[in-house]
Amino acid sequence: MSTEQPFRIVGNLRKSGQLQEAWNYGFSALEQSPQDSYLKGALFWVCYEFIKQQQEKIAKRGASSNNYRPSDFEFDKIESLLQTIVNFEIPAGGLEHKMLLVQFKKNLEWFPTLIHLVLRQKAALFDDDAKKPFQAEKGEAPSLMLSTARQVASAWLRAREPWQLDLNQVMEFIHLTRQQASDVKHMIWLDYDQAKCLIVSGQYEQARSLILPILRKKQKEAWAWGALAATYQKQNRDLAMKFFAKGIVSAHDVTFSLKLFQGIIPLLLGNQRHVEASMCLKTALSAYQAHGWKIKPELEQLSLQPWYDSSVDEKQLNPFLNSISRDAQDYIYGPTKKVIAIIENIHRSGKGFHAYVTRTYSTSVRLGLHKSKENPKVGDYVELTLREENGQKDVVSSLSCGPKTSSDISEVKGRVNITPKGFGFVEDTYIPRNLVADMQNDTLVTVTRVMSWDKTKSKYSWKAIKLKHEA
């Protein structure tokens, strides 16, 4: 046994499950040969196995609560092992660090030694595979590099001072991740994390530039409006209040807006809106009580203040919040304008429709932007909100509305004349084949029509988009 190389002895002991023996022998041998890189590599995997044992306990406990924070004992043990690993000075980019980061995918943010290692080594820790999203059974999971960057941001937000974390290093790693990781679906969450760091550091304009594109995609999410509001809290209290209000009324459930209530109450008090502040506080307290949650000390303190009136009718809160946030959407797009359009056709995918505005402008609309209780149909009228930037028009939202004819959209009543080729006419309006396929000649109809370019005649002429049978 003595003729065998120390790193092989350590490896064999580890593989046979004798971790403590491998540890004792390996570190004793390392004292004799402190530069033996093979021995350090073998001891890395011993440390890794000890870490894995602790992490398995944390993972088992966190499976139900989704809380992967270590106990004080687990923290001390794992931190000590991580410091030992760092002292090995194993070159970055190999399997060792990749496996170590995978082991901490759910709780890296709780371990300062690992956070500092990532900030020192940055992109060097990640091979090409670690920069690609992982295709899991339940869909695409973030790449190892992206999930690591998000946890680094989280660690900075929570423990920047005691751990002496440098924001510039954090921002540099986030920037590298955005450049090198090939995630598309999950990158929005890194933008959000970066924005939160910028808000805390008082860099409001930069934070806003990240939040606004997120909010344009997530207009129904309370947290997104709350993030925008936070960028205005110290710069424009009225705008902050408007966006907090919009977030609260956009929330799918009151529990999603509890942080926003904490943000808006001081602003309401600053405007002498004691009644509305009382409504907000009462609504928040009721949500905590209904779920049996422990009420946050900040809210408890507010409930003891003389301005708080627990007898207010909180049902009046939403009308007030809606009134002060009615134009909130305008601020996320800049200047917008509203136009009336008619639905010309539904996309084959069913995920949107084509809206005709005038003979020179029509546009596709994603179904997610259309606000209506019923699915859109050809011939329905919609009010589109458009944003124009660099000469490009984008649809911000679509809302069902009543009929409104124009010089390019109208209706005509008459009898169908079907030609031998299968298409038809009602007076001077062309009727495509698909609209008259099962129709008898001379049927009385009302035609909904739009002005369309006729390539054959090289001029604009009426084209039917919908027929309605008349008795």
Side-chain angles (χ1 to χ4, degrees):
M1 187 172 182
S2 59
T3 59
E4 202 168 3
Q5 291 174 301
F7 79 90
R8 293 195 187 279
I9 295 171
V10 171
N12 290 334
L13 286 168
R14 175 180 62 83
K15 289 171 187 174
S16 66
Q18 297 173 274
L19 290 182
Q20 194 58 55
E21 290 81 353
W23 174 283
N24 294 341
Y25 175 83
F27 279 98
S28 176
L30 193 62
E31 287 179 10
Q32 307 304 315
S33 309
Q35 303 307 317
D36 188 339
S37 58
Y38 290 104
L39 181 55
K40 288 177 182 177
L43 282 168
F44 167 91
W45 292 110
V46 175
C47 292
Y48 175 85
E49 289 296 335
F50 276 125
I51 288 171
K52 189 177 176 183
Q53 287 178 358
Q54 296 298 321
Q55 285 284 58
E56 283 172 353
K57 293 176 193 172
I58 297 169
K60 190 175 179 182
R61 190 174 65 239
S64 55
S65 64
N66 204 33
N67 178 5
Y68 296 92
R69 181 178 181 173
S71 67
D72 289 347
F73 173 79
E74 290 161 341
F75 172 82
D76 290 340
K77 198 154 190 176
I78 292 172
E79 266 293 292
S80 175
L81 288 162
L82 287 171
Q83 286 166 13
T84 301
I85 283 173
V86 168
N87 290 335
F88 290 150
E89 296 182 336
I90 291 170
L95 181 63
E96 293 92 348
H97 288 113
K98 182 176 181 177
M99 291 296 290
L100 191 65
L101 290 172
V102 168
Q103 191 63 240
F104 286 86
K105 207 165 183 182
K106 291 184 182 293
N107 63 359
L108 182 145
E109 65 185 274
W110 295 104
F111 298 97
T113 296
L114 207 46
I115 294 291
H116 280 289
L117 174 68
V118 171
L119 290 177
R120 276 197 310 275
Q121 302 283 2
K122 298 187 176 68
L125 290 171
F126 304 91
D127 61 14
D128 288 343
D129 281 344
K131 296 174 184 177
K132 295 174 186 172
F134 178 69
Q135 303 303 322
E137 284 182 24
K138 295 180 180 178
E140 186 180 285
S143 68
L144 182 61
M145 190 174 189
L146 180 62
S147 63
T148 300
R150 293 201 64 201
Q151 293 208 65
V152 166
S154 181
W156 184 88
L157 285 166
R158 195 194 64 255
R160 56 193 172 278
E161 289 177 5
W163 293 1
Q164 297 182 320
L165 299 176
D166 183 345
L167 180 61
N168 291 329
Q169 284 189 312
V170 173
M171 290 295 150
E172 188 184 340
F173 182 50
I174 288 173
H175 180 65
L176 284 170
T177 302
R178 195 177 282 113
Q179 281 185 324
Q180 297 184 17
S182 57
D183 300 76
V184 176
K185 184 178 175 185
H186 298 279
M187 196 59 77
I188 187 174
W189 300 112
L190 184 61
D191 294 343
Y192 179 50
D193 294 332
Q194 184 178 7
K196 287 190 286 187
C197 293
L198 290 168
I199 290 168
V200 169
S201 64
Q203 300 177 63
Y204 302 118
E205 293 291 337
Q206 296 96 315
R208 215 169 288 142
S209 69
L210 288 166
I211 290 165
L212 286 171
I214 296 171
L215 191 48
R216 286 168 197 154
K217 296 175 185 174
K218 302 282 184 182
Q219 291 177 48
K220 296 179 182 177
E221 300 292 343
W223 58 264
W225 285 104
L228 181 61
T231 69
Y232 283 104
Q233 267 177 304
K234 293 185 179 177
Q235 293 185 326
N236 189 322
R237 295 167 69 86
D238 288 339
L239 280 182
M241 191 156 63
K242 184 189 295 290
F243 299 138
F244 276 130
K246 181 65 174 175
I248 292 166
V249 296
S250 301
H252 312 296
D253 185 89
V254 68
T255 55
F256 295 121
S257 57
L258 292 174
K259 284 186 179 177
L260 278 65
F261 280 120
Q262 284 183 250
I264 199 173
I265 289 171
L267 300 174
L268 290 168
L269 292 173
N271 282 7
Q272 302 301 308
R273 293 273 195 175
H274 292 167
V275 173
E276 289 80 4
S278 292
M279 290 179 190
C280 287
L281 183 53
K282 186 176 179 181
T283 305
L285 292 171
S286 298
Y288 275 94
Q289 288 157 356
H291 289 84
W293 296 337
K294 185 180 178 183
I295 295 170
K296 288 200 172 288
E298 304 95 307
L299 295 179
E300 210 152 24
Q301 281 291 323
L302 289 172
S303 70
L304 301 174
Q305 300 298 316
W307 58 263
Y308 178 55
D309 179 4
S310 61
S311 66
V312 290
D313 180 8
E314 66 269 38
K315 292 186 180 126
Q316 298 302 311
L317 179 61
N318 264 24
F320 165 73
L321 295 175
N322 277 313
S323 71
I324 67 170
S325 64
R326 187 170 287 116
D327 63 343
Q329 199 176 51
D330 295 346
Y331 289 84
I332 65 171
Y333 290 103
T336 59
K337 71 173 185 176
K338 298 184 187 300
V339 296
I340 302 300
I342 190 168
I343 296 177
E344 193 172 4
N345 61 63
I346 306 296
H347 295 165
R348 285 185 182 178
S349 65
K351 294 180 180 179
F353 56 84
H354 200 75
Y356 177 101
V357 183
T358 66
R359 68 181 69 189
T360 57
Y361 179 64
S362 60
T363 184
S364 286
V365 181
R366 283 192 300 108
L367 198 57
L369 297 175
H370 183 61
K371 296 167 186 173
S372 174
K373 292 179 181 176
E374 297 176 1
N375 287 332
K377 301 185 293 295
V378 172
D380 287 353
Y381 287 82
V382 291
E383 181 186 70
L384 301 180
T385 301
L386 302 176
R387 173 178 70 104
E388 191 165 351
E389 191 173 35
N390 301 324
Q392 183 77 29
K393 291 188 182 82
D394 291 322
V395 179
V396 173
S397 65
S398 167
L399 188 66
S400 295
C401 67
K404 187 177 179 183
T405 57
S406 68
S407 58
D408 289 346
I409 304 171
S410 68
E411 290 187 350
V412 64
K413 192 173 179 179
R415 294 191 178 277
V416 178
N417 174 24
I418 301 174
T419 68
K421 291 185 177 180
F423 56 85
F425 287 92
V426 170
E427 298 178 1
D428 60 344
T429 302
Y430 168 71
I431 317 290
R433 285 186 180 84
N434 62 304
L435 294 183
V436 293
D438 300 317
M439 193 172 284
Q440 296 293 318
N441 204 26
D442 210 35
T443 301
L444 183 64
V445 294
T446 296
V447 182
T448 303
R449 61 187 187 169
V450 297
M451 267 288 169
S452 177
W453 181 253
D454 187 329
K455 290 180 182 177
T456 307
K457 299 177 182 177
S458 294
K459 68 172 188 175
Y460 284 100
S461 56
W462 290 111
K463 173 187 169 185
I465 60 171
K466 180 184 175 184
L467 299 185
K468 180 186 171 188
H469 287 247
E470 296 296 337

